[in-house]
Amino acid sequence: MVPTFEPIGMPALTLTRRDWDFLFDQLRSTTAVLDYLFRAAGEMPVALGDEPVRYYELAAADAAAPPVDIDTELVGPGGRRFSTPLLPQVPAGAGQTNAHLVIRYVLEDVATSMLRDAISESDRLTVLADLDRLPVGMREEWGQLLFDMLDDVQQAPDGQVMWRSRRQLHQEEAGDRQMIFVCATRFDKYVEASFGSYIMLRHHQVGERTGRPDSLCSVGVMLTPNHSGSRPWDTTLVRVLGPSHLTSEQVAEFEELWPQSGNA
């Protein structure tokens, strides 16, 4: 049976519960499922129960599509282009490792953390949506990288702090999104302040290079080892939207602290 109904003024789609479960099992991301539903709602309707067929047809089209060209120098020296289909043909987490769960754990940390005075629940939901936009096809690699970075920073000599980071810039007509993951040896007020300055500087630099600072959103996540035994790491998050409003003196100070390098 192919469901039909009168237009209701917004995208609409009819699914069976089995189709709904298939999408979440395949993508394991609320944002990715919603993006798929809006995309599928613009296609011709299919018979109830045939949503997996349409999914794999769209996934095959994604896999065959040429990657979008992007200027890798927007993130500075050492930037590289990485392309992954929006709809993976292999279910998320099929690599038989727990690496893909790291991003889920970070989302759980944000969802259950105490809110500071100036932060509202709507702000929390916005941040969760930003984090969940990390493409499904990249999550296992990023999760393994975070495992490796956490191991590395714990090897720092006593009294010193080691930093490792990776960032991703995604450009689209609606605006640019920069996601930055950082691992540091420990958490204290000085490390927290340094992390904040790093995110502000990289946000400022990308905004200057793209010429679109008003539409740039940067989300920074810092993981620091937790030695209490109750959890493997602590999560700290910073979100910056729009122009940085850094003064030239602040930019010079932050650039001295965080010089541009090929692996930053």
Side-chain angles (χ1 to χ4, degrees), residues 189-202:
K189 63 180 181 180
Y190 302 107
V191 170
E192 183 179 20
S194 298
F195 168 62
S197 69
Y198 176 73
I199 302 303
M200 288 294 296
L201 176 62
R202 296 299 185 244

Side-chain angles (χ1 to χ4, degrees), residues 96-242:
Q96 303 300 317
T97 73
N98 289 326
H100 73 282
L101 294 175
V102 174
I103 305 302
R104 171 61 183 265
Y105 294 151
V106 171
L107 289 167
E108 293 285 351
D109 287 344
V110 175
T112 59
S113 63
M114 296 288 291
L115 295 177
R116 296 185 176 182
D117 293 340
I119 306 300
S120 67
E121 282 294 340
S122 62
D123 294 328
R124 189 205 301 269
L125 293 175
T126 298
V127 168
L128 286 170
D130 287 336
L131 289 173
D132 201 34
R133 296 206 71 83
L134 183 68
V136 173
M138 298 175 62
R139 295 190 183 194
E140 187 161 358
E141 183 208 357
W142 276 60
Q144 186 58 56
L145 176 70
L146 288 171
F147 277 144
D148 295 341
M149 294 198 306
L150 278 169
D151 287 340
D152 285 350
V153 298
Q154 294 183 78
Q155 309 307 315
D158 291 342
Q160 298 186 25
V161 178
M162 179 186 294
W163 301 80
R164 287 201 60 192
S165 66
R166 175 184 278 191
R167 56 191 174 126
Q168 178 222 16
L169 177 65
H170 179 78
Q171 290 191 292
E172 55 187 24
E173 291 184 7
D176 304 325
R177 297 193 312 273
Q178 180 175 213
M179 189 171 296
I180 307 173
F181 278 89
V182 176
C183 291
T185 304
R186 63 175 182 270
F187 180 84
D188 57 35
K189 63 180 181 180
Y190 302 107
V191 170
E192 183 179 20
S194 298
F195 168 62
S197 69
Y198 176 73
I199 302 303
M200 288 294 296
L201 176 62
R202 296 299 185 244
H203 180 86
H204 172 83
Q205 290 172 332
V206 170
E208 290 290 301
R209 289 167 183 155
T210 62
R212 303 198 306 174
D214 292 338
S215 64
L216 175 62
C217 175
S218 296
V219 177
V221 178
M222 180 174 68
L223 305 185
T224 48
N226 183 306
H227 303 289
S228 67
S230 60
R231 52 188 293 115
W233 64 71
D234 293 314
T235 301
T236 306
L237 189 141
V238 172
R239 181 177 188 266
V240 186
L241 179 64

Side-chain angles (χ1 to χ4, degrees), residues 61-79:
D62 283 357
V68 176
D69 191 29
I70 186 172
D71 181 5
T72 59
E73 292 299 313
L74 292 175
V75 296

